[in-house]
Amino acid sequence: MSTYILVHGAWHGGWCWDKVVSILKEKGHKVLAPDLPGHEQKDPIPAGQITLQDYVDKLCKVLDEQSEPVYLVGHSMGGAVITQTAEFRPDKIKKLVYVSAFLLQNGESLTTIASADEDTLLFPNTVISEDKTCATVREDLIKEIFFGDCSHEDVKRAKSLLTNQPAAPLITPVETTSENFGRVPRIYISCTQDRAISPSAQKKMYTNSPCEKVIKMNTSHSPFLAAPEELANHLLSL
């Protein structure tokens, strides 16, 4: 039995992994998909109070409660979170798995990569609140950006559960070293139909930070909804 901790991306919550969680649990594994601070469905912490370190502290607490090293899986923004977490808890992680995620180098932030991605639909259609504390996505483009190949039912549910995204974690650079983060094995799962983080941007990241293995899925940005069994099988193969 292995332990998988699945970390959601911006605007999402642990709910996005529900289908994958069920499959992995059916195979006898322990699976956790926590909500990051500010992404809870009930009584979320105000977006203006949330930092990248808050996300990391939450994950470190989850890791400290595990009896063995885990597969730490991050989707999209969750990639930055698992990277920074690995700097603090390298011995608690068996492998880092980036699912169409931001794989940042030391000193880079999400906006560093997103602003240079010429093929993304997400960055140009992200709306920052007047007080600069949170971000939303243009309603009419949510499906195309995140859920292009997902069922109507899944898209409807997902749109009802999306939250405002705290802004600070998006602009905060990760701080990593080769001694800690650098010694944890990395896997990258690239989504070749992604409109949020373009395939070219994904390739640039996993080329600049070489991974043990690169797996390609012919899906949109949300393979946990579009192809949950395929994604779960890739995780099981590790």
Side-chain angles (χ1 to χ4, degrees), residues 67-143:
S67 59
E68 62 177 6
V70 310
Y71 292 98
L72 186 58
V73 183
H75 172 250
S76 197
M77 177 195 72
V81 184
I82 68 173
T83 289
Q84 191 61 76
T85 300
E87 178 65 21
F88 295 110
R89 297 292 190 277
D91 294 326
K92 300 292 289 186
I93 303 167
K94 187 174 294 185
K95 289 184 190 292
L96 292 165
V97 185
Y98 296 82
V99 180
S100 203
F102 287 97
L103 173 49
L104 305 179
Q105 295 183 294
N106 180 46
E108 289 182 335
S109 69
L110 272 74
T111 50
T112 305
I113 302 300
S115 61
D117 185 354
E118 296 180 354
D119 298 317
T120 178
L121 283 181
L122 177 57
F123 190 73
N125 294 293
T126 298
V127 182
I128 305 299
S129 63
E130 288 187 9
D131 63 3
K132 310 298 183 185
T133 64
C134 68
T136 55
V137 179
R138 277 182 51 185
E139 168 71 22
D140 59 320
L141 289 175
I142 286 176
K143 183 182 189 300

Side-chain angles (χ1 to χ4, degrees), residues 163-179:
T163 62
N164 288 340
Q165 171 58 44
L170 305 180
I171 62 175
T172 304
V174 298
E175 298 180 4
T176 58
T177 62
S178 57
E179 294 79 13

Side-chain angles (χ1 to χ4, degrees), residues 30-232:
K30 180 178 180 180
V31 192
L32 300 171
D35 290 327
L36 296 174
H39 296 261
E40 304 89 350
Q41 289 299 306
K42 292 184 179 180
D43 302 320
I45 302 169
Q49 299 178 20
I50 304 298
T51 66
L52 177 60
Q53 191 60 48
D54 291 325
Y55 288 169
V56 173
D57 289 345
K58 174 71 175 281
L59 273 194
C60 285
K61 183 176 185 295
V62 174
L63 287 174
D64 290 343
E65 294 170 349
Q66 309 311 311
S67 59
E68 62 177 6
V70 310
Y71 292 98
L72 186 58
V73 183
H75 172 250
S76 197
M77 177 195 72
V81 184
I82 68 173
T83 289
Q84 191 61 76
T85 300
E87 178 65 21
F88 295 110
R89 297 292 190 277
D91 294 326
K92 300 292 289 186
I93 303 167
K94 187 174 294 185
K95 289 184 190 292
L96 292 165
V97 185
Y98 296 82
V99 180
S100 203
F102 287 97
L103 173 49
L104 305 179
Q105 295 183 294
N106 180 46
E108 289 182 335
S109 69
L110 272 74
T111 50
T112 305
I113 302 300
S115 61
D117 185 354
E118 296 180 354
D119 298 317
T120 178
L121 283 181
L122 177 57
F123 190 73
N125 294 293
T126 298
V127 182
I128 305 299
S129 63
E130 288 187 9
D131 63 3
K132 310 298 183 185
T133 64
C134 68
T136 55
V137 179
R138 277 182 51 185
E139 168 71 22
D140 59 320
L141 289 175
I142 286 176
K143 183 182 189 300
E144 185 176 0
I145 293 171
F146 294 133
F147 312 116
D149 55 352
C150 302
S151 71
H152 173 75
E153 292 76 15
D154 284 339
V155 174
K156 182 178 179 180
R157 176 176 183 256
K159 289 175 72 172
S160 74
L161 294 172
L162 295 175
T163 62
N164 288 340
Q165 171 58 44
L170 305 180
I171 62 175
T172 304
V174 298
E175 298 180 4
T176 58
T177 62
S178 57
E179 294 79 13
N180 292 325
F181 163 73
R183 62 184 167 91
V184 184
R186 299 186 293 272
I187 305 291
Y188 200 97
I189 300 179
S190 175
C191 296
T192 61
Q193 302 300 317
D194 200 328
R195 305 304 302 277
I197 306 175
S198 71
S200 59
Q202 294 175 48
K203 183 176 182 180
K204 184 176 181 180
M205 288 187 285
Y206 64 68
T207 300
N208 290 340
S209 299
C211 296
E212 187 178 87
K213 187 176 184 180
V214 175
I215 298 167
K216 294 189 176 182
M217 293 183 64
N218 186 31
T219 71
S220 68
H221 189 60
S222 302
F224 39 73
L225 297 180
E229 290 191 9
E230 181 185 353
L231 177 56

